[in-house]
Amino acid sequence: MTAAAPLLSVRDLRMTFPGRRGHSAPVRAVDGVSFDLAAGETLGLVGESGCGKSTTGRAIVRLLEPTAGSVVYDGRDISRLRQRALKPLRQELQMVFQDPHSSLNPRWTAARIIADPLLAQGRAAAGARRRAAELMELVGLLPQHLDRYPHEFSGGQAQRIGIARALATGPRLIVADEPVSALDVSVQAQIVNLMERLQRELGPAFLFIAHDLSVVKRVCDRVAVMYLGRIVEVGAKERVYAAPAHPYTRALLSAVPLPDPAAERVRERITLLGDPPNPAAPPPGCTFHPRCPKAREICRAEAPLLRIAAPGEARQVACHFPESSG
């Protein structure tokens, strides 16, 4: 039996922005990203701030126009579709943004915000409002608050409105861009619980963009680690967390607090040297080599390809000297 085709297939995706005035070098925010996402799966896209995670998500849903590469959704390359051809697919591709209040129109009521995608797809106003009331209840808000404005909701409630808006058209794929990072820890747990429940009940696939590896470990099936616009490791959550193959992944995971105080005191912490390089002037070879404790001459001269980490594994790593998967 052949494996089912992925719902989303991203190949060699690139996003290059012009340099700032006075600086001619362009910024390669996304530099050849490739991955697959199956229907109903949650893939975590993680890395330091500025590594290109959010830009990748926005390019996939065409809020940004990719410079190069392909984004194949359900067997169709959507990376170059004109807006008119893309419009019918918008109902299947939705996004949840990082800051709930800045992503909601302050002049619109919750009802209008949630119903807007339906109205854009031609739904009648009365039917769209009824659907908005159903979605308010689905995400744990009171339908009688439909006519409140965003400033009348807390951060967690506003994010629930953003999630309800994303769910309005029954999407098959949701890009969640740092959906809990702007919220208090207790509210983060509520939103994570909500997203897990909605996926069980409704079945959308999630591209979950985050820098909090504890949250990613809880909600994701697989993890892709980005560094300076490139994916350096991708694989099943259990394997990546238990035995990271890339030195950068090891360093990220060593900074995640452990719930056991005794284990926290004795575990190895990996401190990376310096800051991430300037994406307008990335170093030659492996872009991680200036901060890597394992770097050798080949790392300075040749960029490693993303390839199978070890025989019999599905995990891939872009490193000349990956850690043994043991």
Side-chain angles (χ1 to χ4, degrees):
M1 181 182 296
T2 58
L7 178 66
L8 177 72
S9 184
V10 178
R11 290 292 178 272
D12 200 29
L13 184 67
R14 298 176 186 271
M15 276 297 310
T16 302
F17 297 100
R20 295 179 180 177
R21 186 175 299 176
H23 299 275
S24 58
V27 177
R28 290 181 284 181
V30 180
D31 193 14
V33 164
S34 300
F35 63 84
D36 291 334
L37 179 62
E41 181 186 30
T42 299
L43 174 67
L45 191 59
V46 304
E48 293 170 290
S49 296
C51 72
K53 308 184 301 294
S54 295
T55 303
T56 298
R58 289 169 181 261
I60 286 170
V61 298
R62 291 286 302 279
L63 293 181
L64 295 172
E65 297 297 323
T67 304
S70 65
V71 178
V72 177
Y73 170 75
D74 199 20
R76 183 180 185 185
D77 189 347
I78 65 171
S79 57
R80 296 292 179 269
L81 286 183
R82 295 182 179 274
Q83 289 300 320
R84 178 173 295 183
L86 191 61
K87 184 178 179 179
L89 291 174
R90 290 289 186 196
Q91 59 188 335
E92 299 188 26
L93 300 165
Q94 291 293 321
M95 190 160 185
V96 176
F97 297 91
Q98 177 177 358
D99 187 339
H101 279 113
S102 67
S103 66
L104 304 180
N105 190 327
R107 298 184 178 183
W108 285 3
T109 63
R112 175 64 192 278
I113 290 169
I114 298 171
D116 189 57
L118 296 170
L119 297 173
Q121 295 292 332
R123 181 79 67 89
R129 183 179 174 86
R130 285 194 298 271
R131 179 60 176 156
E134 293 171 359
L135 288 165
M136 283 278 282
E137 194 167 8
L138 181 66
V139 299
L141 297 174
L142 298 176
Q144 55 262 42
H145 293 161
L146 276 170
D147 294 315
R148 287 188 176 183
Y149 289 87
H151 73 271
E152 299 179 85
F153 295 95
S154 68
Q157 290 172 328
Q159 192 62 292
R160 289 172 187 265
I161 293 172
I163 293 171
R165 175 178 60 186
L167 292 171
T169 56
R172 298 178 63 195
L173 172 63
I174 297 175
V175 175
D177 184 13
E178 300 270 12
V180 299
S181 64
L183 306 175
D184 293 337
V185 174
S186 60
V187 181
Q188 287 183 12
Q190 295 172 16
I191 297 300
V192 167
N193 289 338
L194 170 64
M195 295 179 72
E196 288 181 315
R197 178 172 64 83
L198 292 173
Q199 186 173 46
R200 288 195 304 269
E201 295 177 0
L202 305 177
F206 279 97
L207 178 62
F208 193 93
I209 298 169
H211 65 269
D212 188 332
L213 291 166
S214 299
V215 174
V216 169
K217 185 178 183 180
R218 175 172 171 181
V219 303
C220 297
D221 303 302
R222 289 189 302 128
V223 180
V225 182
M226 281 191 74
Y227 183 79
L228 207 66
R230 301 177 182 177
I231 290 180
V232 296
E233 184 168 358
V234 58
K237 169 183 65 180
E238 294 80 9
R239 293 297 295 148
V240 172
Y241 277 75
H246 197 282
Y248 178 61
T249 309
R250 288 178 60 83
L252 287 182
L253 290 174
S254 77
V256 178
L258 296 177
D260 182 353
E264 176 71 18
R265 283 193 297 269
V266 300
R267 73 161 173 172
E268 176 191 11
R269 288 185 177 275
I270 300 173
T271 302
L272 296 177
L273 302 174
D275 297 317
N278 183 352
C286 174
T287 55
F288 184 61
H289 85 256
R291 307 174 74 193
C292 181
K294 300 179 65 176
R296 303 181 194 176
E297 192 57 38
I298 189 175
C299 305
R300 301 176 180 88
E302 183 180 327
L305 299 176
L306 190 65
R307 53 194 171 194
I308 298 297
E313 269 207 87
R315 178 170 42 162
Q316 295 176 294
V317 60
C319 182
H320 293 298
F321 306 101
E323 295 288 336
S324 172
S325 57

